[in-house]
Amino acid sequence: MPLILIVDDTEDNREVLAEMLNAKGYDTQIAVDGMDGLDAIERELPDLILLDVGMPRMNGFQVAQVLKSDEATRHIPIIFISSQTGVNDKVRAFEVGGVDYITKPFQLQEVLARVESQLMMAQQRKEIQALSAHKDELIRIVSHDLQNPIGIITGYAHLLIEEVQMIAPEATHLVTWLETITESADYMMSIVENLLDVARIERGLPLMFQSLSVNDLLDQAFRSFQLMAQDKGIQLNFSPLKQDVIIEVDKSRIQQVIHNLLSNAIKYTPSGGVVTLAAHMTDSLVKIDVADTGLGIPEKDLPHIFEQFYRINTIEHRESKGTGLGLTVAKGIVEQHGGQITVSSQVGQGSLFTVSLPLNRAAAPAS
């Protein structure tokens, strides 16, 4: 059972609290003042502390400061129990790390309810930390134990394609099979990269800011997708800023966002359709639009498309490969730039994704 340390210089309070908690099955320790409490904690870490404020030698606020400054004890929840009812005292209690504050004379049922609530939250925090540790280990496995073999598969498949084309150029079926292997390996690698990016974003994605022309950035993306659009019979348009600006962003990450949006737009737009990459400005934002005349997104799916692993459940969307992570990653990247990504869509008419990036890092108009 959880161990609860009661630190109070009044004997009656200690006895009443200990009797109640013991009756509920909790183990208790008793300390007669702050110094005695620290000694008890050094001998055995409690799961929760009921801490009086006004005590000789060391008051409760001082005890809390000592505990919160030590890595070994800072996680222990502290509930203050005090006859001091002023707002300043309560605020001070939370400032030094308390999780709750009960005024004397206290009601036993109230104390019990608050103790049980804090113990439950402490247990939940431990479980979350354990899950986080497991996730970190999974990320390590994914980043090393999967990336390397996939890279080897891709490399050898490309070598075999070259060998077959030189030795047996008539064996086109072998080349087709090997190309299928490389495409599947590339798809697996994209899944791995997306999983790693989700984890990096949750931790705080490191960004390498540099000054870039908005129009140059978008023009590079436009040129990268011209062939893909042409092969599918889609008209790809580009509308740059009328007056270019220099903005500070992480180039590779913002390119990743734009490439994801353009790739999706072309993927879900049928032959004969149109995809448009455009930029415009407000007083404080650069806005990048990716619009298409494709399948569109059902209204019920719109609130969920940025969620991890979310896939639109229509026949047309199921026929296209996807991890359900690309938009999650894009949203995380944009938000860590201080921006926002939004979407509007109508089924059968197409979709419009807008990336809004703040201009607070932008310099003067580009020449």
Side-chain angles (χ1 to χ4, degrees), residues 94-239:
F94 288 106
E95 287 177 343
V96 297
V99 296
D100 207 344
Y101 191 99
I102 301 172
T103 55
K104 298 177 182 178
F106 51 78
Q107 300 294 320
L108 290 177
Q109 290 304 312
E110 178 188 5
V111 174
L112 181 62
R114 297 195 183 199
V115 165
E116 290 177 341
S117 175
Q118 291 300 330
L119 286 173
M120 181 178 67
M121 286 190 284
Q123 180 60 32
Q124 289 172 341
R125 283 192 293 271
K126 288 180 182 178
E127 292 172 358
I128 291 171
Q129 289 168 355
L131 288 172
S132 179
H134 288 312
K135 184 180 71 174
D136 289 344
E137 177 63 14
L138 177 60
I139 291 168
R140 186 196 66 78
I141 293 171
V142 167
S143 62
H144 182 270
D145 296 350
L146 287 181
Q147 276 186 319
N148 290 348
I150 293 172
I152 292 170
I153 291 169
T154 303
Y156 276 106
H158 282 299
L159 287 175
L160 285 171
I161 289 172
E162 293 176 4
E163 288 292 318
V164 170
Q165 288 174 334
M166 285 191 299
I167 298 171
E170 71 282 358
T172 55
H173 64 288
L174 294 179
V175 173
T176 300
W177 294 346
L178 289 167
E179 286 176 344
T180 300
I181 291 173
T182 60
E183 289 172 5
S184 297
D186 288 342
Y187 178 61
M188 289 173 64
M189 186 64 81
S190 73
I191 295 174
V192 170
E193 288 296 337
N194 279 331
L195 285 169
L196 291 173
D197 278 341
V198 168
R200 292 177 186 127
I201 287 167
E202 289 177 351
R203 293 176 173 180
L205 188 68
L207 298 175
M208 301 293 291
F209 286 95
Q210 56 182 300
S211 298
L212 298 169
S213 154
V214 171
N215 283 346
D216 285 350
L217 182 69
L218 298 184
D219 184 62
Q220 290 174 18
F222 169 70
R223 293 176 184 275
S224 297
F225 282 88
Q226 279 183 309
L227 183 59
M228 180 179 176
Q230 181 180 326
D231 287 345
K232 197 175 176 184
I234 291 171
Q235 180 180 332
L236 181 61
N237 298 327
F238 174 40
S239 178

